[in-house]
Amino acid sequence: KSQRVKMDATSEDVVEPMTNGVHHSEDSNTEPQEKKDCDPISECYICKKVYNIPKTLPCFHAFCCSCLEDHISKSLNQNGQKYFACPMCEEKCEIFKGALPGQYAHAFQDDLFLAKLVELQSAMCEGKLCDICERIEENKPASHWCMDCNDALCETCLKVHLHGKTTAGHSCLSIEEMRRIPLETLMKQKNKVPCMKHNELITLFCVDCREPLCVQCMAVSHRRCENVITVSDALTSRTDVNDVISRLNKLQATVENAGGIGQPDRTLENSIHEAQERINTICNTICDRVRQYQSVLLKSLESQSEKAKGLLKDRIQPRKTGLKSIKAANDRMQTLLRYGSDVEILLAYNQVRKKLDSCQGAIGNTEQKAPSVRLDFILDDTVERFIENFDRLGDLTVDVGDSDEGISSWGVTCTSSDDIIVTDCKNKRIQKFSKFGDLVDYVQLEDEPRDITTCGNRDDVAITMIGKLVIFLATRKTMQLIKRAKTERQYDGISYSEKDAYLIVSSLRDQVVDIIHLDGSVMRSFGSGAGDRVLFNEPRFISATPDRTIIISDVGQNAIICIDHNGKVVFRYKPDGQNGLKKPQGVCVDKLGNLFVADFGNNRVQLLASDGLFQRNVLGIESALEKPVAIRVSGSNRMIIVQSDGMVKVFSYS
């Protein structure tokens, strides 16, 4: 197939370095203050001391700014790339664009929470000095702590502080009193966090965007948002913080019960052992069958040899007998010629002539070669072709098991005018391209989208979202939000049934496929529950067919499953050998009912008949296809494929 259009559906966000909101000077060479028996939460993993200007990585691990800088510099010198591994979890972290050598760590976000914790712990230690006096290089013991400024104050500075115009209303506690109050209580008191953009206190929360705000943030960036509430209300009523914490605890417990981080190592060792056993089994099976037939052939050879020897004896024996008779007759005639009379010679002559004639027929033409018998082994045609074509038993591949790592787009659909609409989960947006590959419009979302499908004849689309939500967009001219529908589950794949006007969705977390109304309510559920046997392991993409069947790609089972609208399995496609699937992703059906499967791990697209029988591979590496994720066939017979790197490729299809 010829490649028609290429489009890059990803974009990189520009991340500006965060400003430092900690009271430590960035140019200060002072060492972090050591503290005996300090809380491990305030201890840097690298230097094993109390944090000094803590910086947080995307993996949520924090380190001293100077420690992190040293680690990044060493890592960059070793790998020569623009990334480094977290010292604790080894997750790859990219260096921010524009960060200069010696300033890499400063580009990461300041951990104001840990900075405040460290300062409070420091204030509660014996011999704490006044922070204000220290800035002018004087050493005076601190007697009080300002909860608003997070500064330790001596008696003199306290008087000035409480009478200043901007600090008169600050809450100050004596350090002795602080030491009697639990650290948890102190951390929660006067817990005012400034906005990193406007340096005003964060007091609001945008429910639509799920972001904490200051007053200026609301006025500038969130003026069109409808659901802005106070921080206290957000924690009690309008957010799913408790749900997230519950999921984290459940997932951590599941991982630990399954063997923790040691499980992947055991999985690898098990897979190596299984591969070794399979290789040995196949080779031994082949060798055993060959040796078995070798024994049969040798026994047959023994009996056939006896038969052949008998045949040869039967053919040679007359010649031997005739030759002996001729020799005897010849000896007789030579003796008579030497010693016999003429009469005796003539008497023997007639008898010898008759004997010669009879022996001549038995011996045959003396110029011909002696009679022979051969025993040949004729190779079977199948074995002969096997030997000629045999060059290997199979191939070994490393399955990293991270089928979805790096996937930046989960879904693609197309309108009646062949416009292409892609969900870009990495950048949290929906992008619309013309059929020629030009970016026409995009919608920035507050959270990560998953899959997308068109709904009806008006080219409206429905999109599954992180956070148990399905949103609907109009796409005719400019893309606009129509409505939101809350759902009972977190859904991933989505498809629209034209005949029944409902949505079919899949849930990786719950291992189910649901049929839902357009308002998000569940009509039927397949795959789990008391009355259902487990059908799915990781149901990912969905496609509704014209005959009301449902096609599901199951990544966990490396299979394609087709069920009817009542949940009965119509067919299960899970081939072995060269047609085997490896982490199948997108599925779609053309106007004739043919089924196309994005074979993600094998870098190809498979074509199946409507009954699930393999037809052929229609695209592969030779077509510059790499890690196909989402797939769609348009009404004008164009095959649209989104790769894991976000590249959209369009192929002609007939």
Side-chain angles (χ1 to χ4, degrees):
K1 304 300 179 181
S2 60
Q3 186 172 328
R4 294 280 299 280
V5 182
K6 284 187 179 180
M7 294 169 282
D8 190 352
T10 64
S11 64
E12 297 182 354
D13 294 330
V14 178
V15 181
E16 297 293 337
M18 297 293 186
T19 57
N20 187 9
V22 186
H23 288 300
H24 298 283
S25 170
E26 294 185 3
D27 298 327
S28 174
N29 294 322
T30 59
E31 293 292 333
Q33 182 179 358
E34 295 188 43
K35 180 183 176 182
K36 295 181 180 179
D37 301 327
C38 66
D39 193 332
I41 195 175
S42 61
E43 182 181 285
C44 174
Y45 175 80
I46 298 177
C47 66
K48 306 302 181 184
K49 298 178 181 179
V50 175
Y51 287 114
N52 182 25
I53 313 179
K55 294 285 184 176
T56 303
L57 299 181
C59 58
F60 300 105
H61 289 128
F63 309 93
C64 297
C65 183
S66 57
C67 296
L68 184 60
E69 185 65 40
D70 292 340
H71 174 74
I72 294 175
S73 300
K74 292 177 182 178
S75 299
L76 296 185
N77 292 334
Q78 291 174 0
N79 60 34
Q81 303 293 329
K82 286 295 182 181
Y83 66 85
F84 65 95
C86 170
M88 291 188 68
C89 67
E90 299 182 356
E91 179 178 327
K92 287 184 178 180
C93 303
E94 294 185 359
I95 302 297
F96 287 108
K97 291 184 177 180
L100 300 176
Q103 299 291 322
Y104 295 129
H106 291 279
F108 289 95
Q109 185 174 357
D110 290 308
D111 197 322
L112 300 182
F113 165 76
L114 286 179
K116 179 182 176 183
L117 177 66
V118 168
E119 287 184 339
L120 276 176
Q121 288 181 328
S122 174
M124 299 169 70
C125 293
E126 294 291 340
K128 175 63 178 174
L129 299 177
C130 175
D131 289 328
I132 296 177
C133 291
E134 276 193 306
R135 293 175 192 142
I136 57 176
E137 298 182 354
E138 293 183 6
N139 294 331
K140 291 185 179 181
S143 61
H144 288 75
W145 177 265
C146 178
M147 299 295 293
D148 295 276
C149 299
N150 289 331
D151 270 343
L153 307 172
C154 64
E155 292 292 347
T156 303
C157 293
L158 175 64
K159 292 178 182 179
V160 176
H161 198 76
L162 294 179
H163 290 83
K165 289 184 178 180
T166 58
T167 58
H170 286 195
S171 175
C172 296
L173 296 175
S174 69
I175 291 181
E176 292 297 330
E177 184 181 355
M178 283 179 58
R179 291 170 181 165
R180 293 193 295 268
I181 302 175
L183 182 60
E184 294 86 350
T185 305
L186 287 174
M187 287 291 293
K188 292 181 180 296
Q189 285 182 359
K190 298 289 184 178
N191 191 9
K192 298 178 180 178
V193 180
C195 173
M196 301 299 292
K197 295 181 180 179
H198 307 110
N199 204 30
E200 290 196 14
L201 295 181
I202 295 176
T203 58
L204 303 172
F205 182 82
C206 178
V207 177
D208 295 336
C209 302
R210 298 190 180 185
E211 291 182 2
L213 315 170
C214 70
V215 175
Q216 288 195 43
C217 288
M218 184 184 68
V220 176
S221 306
H222 298 263
R223 60 183 182 275
R224 295 184 179 179
C225 297
E226 298 180 356
N227 299 312
V228 177
I229 58 179
T230 63
V231 169
S232 59
D233 289 342
L235 276 178
T236 57
S237 62
R238 299 297 296 278
T239 61
D240 56 354
V241 174
N242 292 333
D243 179 58
V244 170
I245 294 174
S246 175
R247 287 169 54 194
L248 287 172
N249 291 333
K250 181 179 179 181
L251 182 59
Q252 181 177 350
T254 302
V255 172
E256 291 175 350
N257 292 335
I261 60 174
Q263 182 64 27
D265 294 336
R266 289 196 295 272
T267 301
L268 175 59
E269 291 301 324
N270 291 338
S271 66
I272 294 173
H273 179 71
E274 289 174 1
Q276 182 181 21
E277 290 294 323
R278 184 164 174 77
I279 291 172
N280 290 335
T281 299
I282 291 174
C283 292
N284 291 336
T285 300
I286 294 175
C287 292
D288 289 344
R289 295 187 65 180
V290 171
R291 291 191 184 99
Q292 181 181 1
Y293 207 74
Q294 178 187 19
S295 177
V296 173
L297 284 174
L298 290 176
K299 289 181 180 179
S300 177
L301 175 63
E302 185 178 351
S303 62
Q304 292 294 333
S305 298
E306 295 298 326
K307 181 179 179 181
K309 290 177 181 179
L311 291 174
L312 181 60
K313 183 178 180 181
D314 292 342
R315 296 187 63 183
I316 293 177
Q317 191 62 37
R319 292 186 62 135
K320 287 184 177 181
T321 303
L323 183 61
K324 290 179 180 179
S325 297
I326 290 174
K327 185 177 183 304
N330 188 32
D331 291 342
R332 179 76 176 187
M333 289 300 296
Q334 294 299 329
T335 301
L336 288 173
L337 288 173
R338 183 175 180 179
Y339 300 105
S341 62
D342 294 339
V343 175
E344 289 173 330
I345 293 172
L346 291 174
L347 288 173
Y349 156 74
N350 192 42
Q351 185 179 357
V352 170
R353 186 178 60 81
K354 290 180 180 179
K355 190 67 174 177
L356 177 62
D357 291 340
S358 64
C359 289
Q360 186 76 39
I363 295 174
N365 189 357
T366 56
E367 295 181 356
Q368 293 180 350
K369 294 182 179 180
S372 63
V373 175
R374 290 179 54 83
L375 195 153
D376 295 324
F377 172 63
I378 302 175
L379 192 65
D380 186 83
D381 292 342
T382 304
V383 178
E384 186 175 12
R385 288 195 300 270
F386 171 77
I387 294 175
E388 289 177 355
N389 298 326
F390 177 79
D391 56 358
R392 64 180 187 274
L393 282 176
D395 295 314
L396 288 172
T397 60
V398 178
D399 185 357
V400 297
D402 74 11
S403 55
D404 304 329
E405 183 176 355
I407 292 182
S408 62
S409 294
W410 280 63
V412 64
T413 191
C414 54
T415 66
S416 57
S417 58
D418 272 2
D419 288 336
I420 300 169
I421 304 177
V422 180
T423 61
D424 183 357
C425 65
K426 179 180 179 181
N427 297 301
K428 300 180 181 180
R429 62 180 58 168
I430 307 298
Q431 295 180 322
K432 178 181 177 181
F433 297 93
S434 71
K435 60 182 178 181
F436 304 108
D438 301 318
L439 179 62
V440 177
D441 193 12
Y442 76 91
V443 173
Q444 190 68 45
L445 303 174
E446 69 274 10
D447 220 329
E448 183 179 321
R450 290 303 196 188
D451 198 9
I452 187 171
T453 184
T454 51
C455 301
N457 299 323
R458 299 185 59 188
D459 288 340
D460 296 339
V461 295
I463 304 152
T464 50
M465 300 284 296
I466 288 291
K468 301 180 180 179
L469 185 68
V470 175
I471 65 172
F472 297 83
L473 299 179
T475 64
R476 275 296 176 93
K477 294 181 179 179
T478 60
M479 292 195 292
Q480 296 179 350
L481 178 66
I482 300 175
K483 67 175 182 178
R484 303 166 182 258
K486 292 295 292 183
T487 58
E488 297 179 11
R489 292 189 174 101
Q490 171 62 60
Y491 292 122
D492 301 287
I494 187 170
S495 184
Y496 179 74
S497 174
E498 297 286 349
K499 289 188 176 181
D500 302 293
Y502 53 57
L503 294 172
I504 307 168
V505 287
S506 65
S507 173
L508 284 168
R509 183 193 305 172
D510 297 323
Q511 300 177 308
V512 298
V513 170
D514 288 347
I515 296 178
I516 63 174
H517 289 292
L518 299 184
D519 62 1
S521 59
V522 177
M523 299 169 59
R524 288 191 294 277
S525 183
F526 311 120
S528 67
D532 299 321
R533 66 184 183 88
V534 177
L535 290 176
F536 313 111
N537 188 323
E538 293 182 50
R540 179 64 56 84
F541 284 89
I542 298 282
S543 181
T545 67
D547 59 358
R548 300 184 72 196
T549 59
I550 304 169
I551 308 295
I552 306 105
S553 63
D554 194 312
V555 180
Q557 300 185 60
N558 286 321
I560 302 298
I561 302 170
C562 177
I563 61 175
D564 61 21
H565 64 284
N566 292 317
K568 181 181 178 181
V569 176
V570 178
F571 68 79
R572 183 186 296 267
Y573 177 70
K574 189 179 180 181
D576 293 324
Q578 62 181 3
N579 296 330
L581 295 170
K582 188 175 180 181
K583 304 189 186 307
Q585 300 285 335
V587 289
C588 71
V589 178
D590 67 6
K591 292 180 290 188
L592 300 177
N594 296 313
L595 172 61
F596 297 90
V597 181
D599 193 352
F600 176 85
N602 292 314
N603 301 306
R604 63 189 179 187
V605 174
Q606 291 195 26
L607 169 63
L608 309 182
S610 59
D611 56 0
L613 294 179
F614 174 81
Q615 300 298 304
R616 64 182 183 276
N617 294 318
V618 295
L619 288 172
I621 297 179
E622 71 281 355
S623 303
L625 188 66
E626 184 177 358
K627 302 297 183 186
V629 179
I631 184 171
R632 183 74 59 182
V633 175
S634 71
S636 59
N637 287 336
R638 301 198 315 159
M639 184 176 291
I640 306 158
I641 299 175
V642 184
Q643 298 182 158
S644 65
D645 59 2
M647 179 69 74
V648 179
K649 295 182 178 179
V650 180
F651 299 86
S652 62
Y653 163 65
S654 59

